[in-house]
Each structure stands twice: as structure tokens, then as C-alpha cells.
Amino acid sequence: MKITIPFLDLEKMYNSGQQFTWNKIDNNKYSIIHKNNYLEISHIDKDEFEVSCSEDAFKSIWYSYFDLDTDYESLWIKGLVRGNEYLHNAVRYGWGIRILRQDPWEVIIMFLISQNNNMKRIRKSVDMLREKYGNITIYNDDNAHTHVYKTFPNTYLLETGYNQDQYKDCGLGYRDNYIKEIAEGWNDIIALLNEHKNDYKELIETLKLFKGTGNKVANCIALYGFHHLNAAPIDTHMKRIINEYFCGINPLDNFKGYEGIIQQWLFDYETNKNKSK
DNA sequence: GCCCAGGTGGGAG
DNA sequence: CTCCCACATGGG
């Protein structure tokens, strides 16, 4: 099915570091696994995309996933004119990066893995967790093609996997204990998070109760898993950006309510600008 | 061998 | 509160 999606650059989304569940099929085509759902998407022209799902599935699942109710274009234009040259260049470069509305469980696991780690290894670990502990799922798209894929592992599979002492094959290092604790207590944890998810500060404090989530990871979870667009994870790259290009003064403070999006564009520019286009 | 990677917990001061 | 350091693992 063809569909119009504004402000979306697939390649940038793939490399943006907000998810590790996309896979590259070819230069223009990506597969996405989100909860139990599978999507192939490719760019056709301008805002035109080809997606492998039906119109109903797009409406009920992917419309929200891509956050199509938020107007990224106007924020992007604001960002172009409200800051120094570095910010201008970063915002311009960030065209097409939206903040996905991902599943909290998946985000928590991915960003527990992310600490003191690099993007390549994070993606590899997430892939291995899916291959080992994901459910095999078969999906027939609207072109009558069959796709077989593994979902992101659910809590039960991660619990039993840990008990069988198989995590070590996924390159998680010392972070496996954090994941074990979250997986084992998940029912209580998600209930607690749902109680506090609407209040940013309460949510951050609740997340920080769990081992392995400090300020940075908590903000990643708030931004990517609960869509608090004001949540701005400050990692090693963002620290360097702030010190090198903004005299130590956090430029995100000029974008109240949307700090997380500007952060995403700055992060992407700093980590990807030197890659060949 | 070294240093780094979307950091954090724990201890000491 | 801030400053140390150890923590697995693989790539440069």
C-alpha cells in the first residue's frame, strides 16, 4: 500500500539510536518489529512510502508508532533560526527524524543494554535476544507475501532464558542482572510505571528505583517509551556537544517541551555527520 | 597492550 | 553533594 508520511527519513531513523529493532533490507527498504507486529517500509518519492500492511493495520498500529499526530516540521523550522551555527546545522541535518512511540518493555531492555556500550554492540545484542528468545511469527502482507520473523522477547522468555543461564551468548556483559530483575518483577513494575507515567518527574524517579537505570537511561525510557518529549537524555556525546559548541550551557533549555526532539537531532548530527552519505 | 562506547552502583570524603 | 572506580565485551 502507498501512503503519505511527512517528515520521515528512513536511513536517519535507522541510525538515530532511539531503536534497535529496525533492520535494513536494502538501501531504501527497512523492516520494523514492534511488539508482535512486522512492517516493511520503503521510500518512493518525497513524502510517499510503500508499506507492507493494510490500511486498517496502519491506522491502528503504525500511525501512532510513527507519532503522526505531532508536527515535527514546525519545530524543525523553529530550530533552524533559534540558536548558533552548530545548532542550525544539526537541526538542518536532522530533517526526517521523528520520535517513535515504542513499547515501554522493549525500550527498557534496549536502554539497559545501552549503558557504557556502543550502538553496533547494542543492536547486535538486541538481535541475538530476539533470535534466541523471540516468538516465531508468520505474517502475510497485502501482496500475499509471507514473512517469518522473531518478535522482541517477552518477559517470560527472558526470565526462563536467564534461569537457563543463556544470556551470556548475547554479549550483555554485566548488564544481564539488570534485565533479570526487570523481567522477574515486570507485572508490578509496569503497574507502578502506569501509575506515574503521566507526570514526568514522578516517572523519572520511579524508573530510577530500578538497578541499572540512572538519570540518562531513565530519560531515554521517558522519551522513547512514554513519549515525554521534554525528556532529554544527556549521554557522553551530548556532554561533549554542550562543552565544545555551547560553552557548557545546555542549548535544549531554549526549546521547552521539546527538548527530547532537539536532543535527538543534535545527537544524530554529532554521531553521523562524518559518515559518507 | 591501550581507549572508547547513548552509564551506573557503591563507597569514601 | 562530588569524586573515584569497577563493571563485560568487542572494535579501532
Side-chain angles (χ1 to χ4, degrees):
Chain A
M1 175 184 87
K2 273 189 191 178
I3 190 151
T4 302
I5 305 176
F7 201 85
L8 179 65
D9 183 320
L10 296 177
E11 172 75 14
K12 285 197 177 298
M13 290 296 289
Y14 176 70
N15 289 317
S16 67
Q18 63 176 300
Q19 49 72 27
F20 301 93
T21 54
W22 287 33
N23 281 288
K24 196 168 184 167
I25 298 174
D26 62 41
N27 272 337
N28 195 30
K29 192 172 189 182
Y30 297 84
S31 65
I32 301 170
I33 292 161
H34 164 57
K35 299 195 206 183
N36 294 324
N37 308 296
Y38 178 89
L39 184 75
E40 289 184 0
I41 181 166
S42 47
H43 183 227
I44 299 174
D45 185 40
K46 291 181 183 172
D47 291 349
E48 298 297 310
F49 293 84
E50 173 75 27
V51 290
S52 62
C53 67
S54 68
E55 196 175 343
D56 283 350
F58 194 87
K59 274 185 193 163
S60 63
I61 299 161
W62 303 105
Y63 184 93
S64 156
Y65 177 78
F66 284 106
D67 192 31
L68 296 188
D69 277 333
T70 301
D71 179 4
Y72 285 81
E73 196 92 43
S74 354
L75 178 67
W76 186 75
I77 290 166
K78 268 186 214 165
L80 284 179
V81 298
R82 206 188 280 176
N84 65 14
E85 189 183 353
Y86 184 90
L87 187 84
H88 172 85
N89 290 337
V91 169
R92 195 177 53 185
Y93 192 82
W95 191 94
I97 302 180
R98 314 177 69 93
I99 302 294
L100 300 169
R101 290 178 182 265
Q102 301 183 71
D103 179 67
W105 159 257
E106 298 183 15
V107 171
I108 288 171
I109 300 303
M110 287 191 284
F111 284 89
L112 281 174
I113 295 171
S114 77
Q115 68 163 260
N116 200 27
N117 210 340
N118 63 61
M119 306 237 284
K120 239 182 202 170
R121 287 194 72 247
I122 300 165
R123 185 180 297 282
K124 203 171 177 185
S125 285
V126 172
D127 279 348
M128 285 192 283
L129 280 176
R130 270 199 313 105
E131 286 307 314
K132 277 178 177 292
Y133 303 113
N135 283 318
I136 294 179
T137 308
I138 296 170
Y139 169 68
N140 296 308
D141 67 25
D142 61 349
N143 296 317
H145 292 138
T146 299
H147 306 271
V148 179
Y149 63 97
K150 295 256 185 110
T151 61
F152 197 95
N154 62 32
T155 63
Y156 172 75
L157 287 168
L158 280 191
E159 284 175 66
T160 54
Y162 188 87
N163 294 337
Q164 288 160 15
D165 194 29
Q166 293 177 352
Y167 275 7
K168 57 179 178 293
D169 300 333
C170 296
L172 303 178
Y174 65 91
R175 309 168 192 84
D176 60 353
N177 268 312
Y178 303 151
I179 292 170
K180 170 181 177 272
E181 286 191 20
I182 295 281
E184 286 177 350
W186 182 247
N187 287 341
D188 294 334
I189 288 169
I190 190 59
L192 191 62
L193 291 175
N194 280 332
E195 249 177 72
H196 299 286
K197 68 179 174 187
N198 293 325
D199 184 292
Y200 167 72
K201 281 188 178 172
E202 280 181 34
L203 176 62
I204 294 290
E205 289 315 307
T206 307
L207 287 165
K208 282 161 80 171
L209 295 175
F210 311 122
K211 270 189 190 169
T213 55
N215 206 45
K216 189 269 174 185
V217 169
N219 273 281
C220 283
I221 297 168
L223 179 60
Y224 306 132
F226 293 93
H227 209 67
H228 283 276
L229 294 178
N230 61 315
I234 304 298
D235 74 317
T236 164
H237 300 293
M238 281 300 299
K239 278 178 193 159
R240 195 179 60 244
I241 292 170
I242 292 168
N243 285 328
E244 270 189 36
Y245 304 107
F246 297 94
C247 308
I249 299 162
N250 189 342
L252 301 177
D253 295 342
N254 291 326
F255 298 92
K256 283 290 170 212
Y258 300 96
E259 292 93 329
I261 301 178
I262 303 289
Q263 171 272 154
Q264 196 67 42
W265 296 341
L266 284 165
F267 175 86
D268 177 70
Y269 182 59
E270 185 64 17
T271 53
N272 292 321
K273 65 183 174 185
N274 294 326
K275 284 186 186 168
S276 58
K277 195 49 183 122

